[in-house]
Amino acid sequence: MKNGILYGVGIGPGDPELLTLKAVRVISECEIVAYPGVSSDECMACRIAGQVVRGFYDKTLISCNVPMTRDVKRLEECYDDIADTLEEQLSNRKDVAFLTIGDPTLYSTCMQVHRRIMEKGYTAELISGVNSFSAAAAALGISLAEREEQLHIIPFSTPINEIRNLKGTKVFMKPGKDREDILVYLAEVERKGGTVYTVSNVGLPDERRTKGIAEIPDDIGYMTMVLCQEVGN
């Protein structure tokens, strides 16, 4: 008998209507659902999928929580543990849908587990989802890139000297404590005629959008991104 398949399923940024037909089908067909969080009741990914997939909460739901830390050793150990847990299900010939907000190929825990499962000799597939920055641009009614323009996806922790010479639209994601330099840079962009947008919790009931550096909220959360368009880029 064949082993089960691990599916890394992108479920979009928050709006249940942005789940693809393929994502809904795959989740529906999998007996096991792995999710990024401590409990399914508190997991945003579960809440999103649960609104669309019939019988979602009747499935076996497995927590795959990853601590918010930059300790590489601790993270690697966590990814190993998750892979071991899911391997047990796959070896019992059960398919597993690993939910990930947005798309599994962008800053996702799912990708770390995907690689480990593949190395163990199992089959793993990725199901694309709508990414958050595309949804944010659509909500704002703006283009991310046109003609020969460039688009850069940048973590807030990126050193400012690596950003200054980049041309085109910049999307800053994954805000943490290290953001003061980025905010200074964004203020410079605005003074030169550029435009700065902030979108928090895109696609969710508490979605918030702002325009201008002065409107950036003090309580920038992990689900916040900043879109920056400079003049002449």
Side-chain angles (χ1 to χ4, degrees):
M1 296 288 289
K2 292 175 121 181
N3 291 318
I5 299 174
L6 174 67
Y7 296 95
V9 184
I11 62 170
D15 184 346
E17 292 186 339
L18 291 181
L19 265 78
T20 65
L21 293 175
K22 187 170 186 178
V24 173
R25 177 182 63 78
V26 168
I27 298 170
S28 298
E29 292 175 352
C30 287
E31 181 180 346
I32 311 295
V33 173
Y35 62 88
V38 176
S39 72
S40 58
D41 292 338
E42 298 178 2
C43 175
M44 186 173 74
C46 287
R47 291 198 299 269
I48 296 168
Q51 296 178 62
V52 182
V53 179
R54 288 185 179 180
F56 178 83
Y57 288 101
D58 295 329
K59 297 178 180 293
T60 299
L61 304 178
I62 298 178
S63 169
C64 296
N65 189 50
V66 176
M68 298 291 285
T69 178
R70 292 184 184 174
D71 185 329
V72 175
K73 181 179 178 181
R74 186 180 175 193
L75 287 172
E76 292 294 320
E77 290 174 348
C78 184
Y79 299 142
D80 289 342
D81 289 343
I82 292 173
D84 289 343
T85 297
L86 299 187
E87 181 186 11
E88 182 178 350
Q89 302 296 331
L90 298 173
S91 65
N92 287 327
R93 300 186 294 277
K94 295 180 179 179
D95 293 340
V96 179
F98 194 125
L99 305 186
T100 182
I101 299 295
D103 183 90
T105 65
L106 185 69
Y107 299 133
S108 78
T109 296
C110 171
M111 204 67 230
Q112 300 291 336
V113 178
H114 174 91
R115 294 192 189 100
R116 285 165 169 77
I117 290 297
M118 292 284 286
E119 289 170 359
K120 290 173 178 286
Y122 294 88
T123 300
E125 299 180 13
L126 300 173
I127 310 301
S128 297
V130 176
N131 61 63
S132 59
F133 54 86
S134 290
L140 292 167
I142 64 173
S143 171
L144 288 170
E146 297 180 13
R147 299 186 179 88
E148 305 302 320
E149 293 175 343
Q150 299 178 6
L151 172 64
H152 305 276
I153 312 302
I154 305 169
F156 264 78
S157 58
T158 304
I160 194 67
N161 62 332
E162 297 180 15
I163 297 170
R164 290 189 181 279
N165 294 327
L166 297 177
K167 304 297 183 181
T169 299
K170 303 176 183 68
V171 178
F172 296 94
M173 302 181 67
K174 301 173 62 179
K177 295 179 181 179
D178 304 326
R179 60 176 182 242
E180 292 306 316
D181 286 350
I182 298 297
L183 295 178
V184 170
Y185 167 74
L186 294 174
E188 294 174 2
V189 169
E190 193 170 74
R191 283 197 298 271
K192 295 176 181 178
T195 308
V196 175
Y197 303 93
T198 304
V199 182
S200 301
N201 302 321
V202 62
L204 296 171
D206 58 347
E207 176 182 309
R208 179 168 53 173
R209 309 173 214 158
T210 65
K211 181 179 180 181
I213 187 73
E215 299 300 318
I216 293 180
D218 294 330
D219 57 337
I220 293 179
Y222 189 77
M223 298 294 288
T224 297
M225 73 196 78
V226 176
L227 291 80
C228 168
Q229 296 183 321
E230 298 185 44
V231 173
N233 285 342

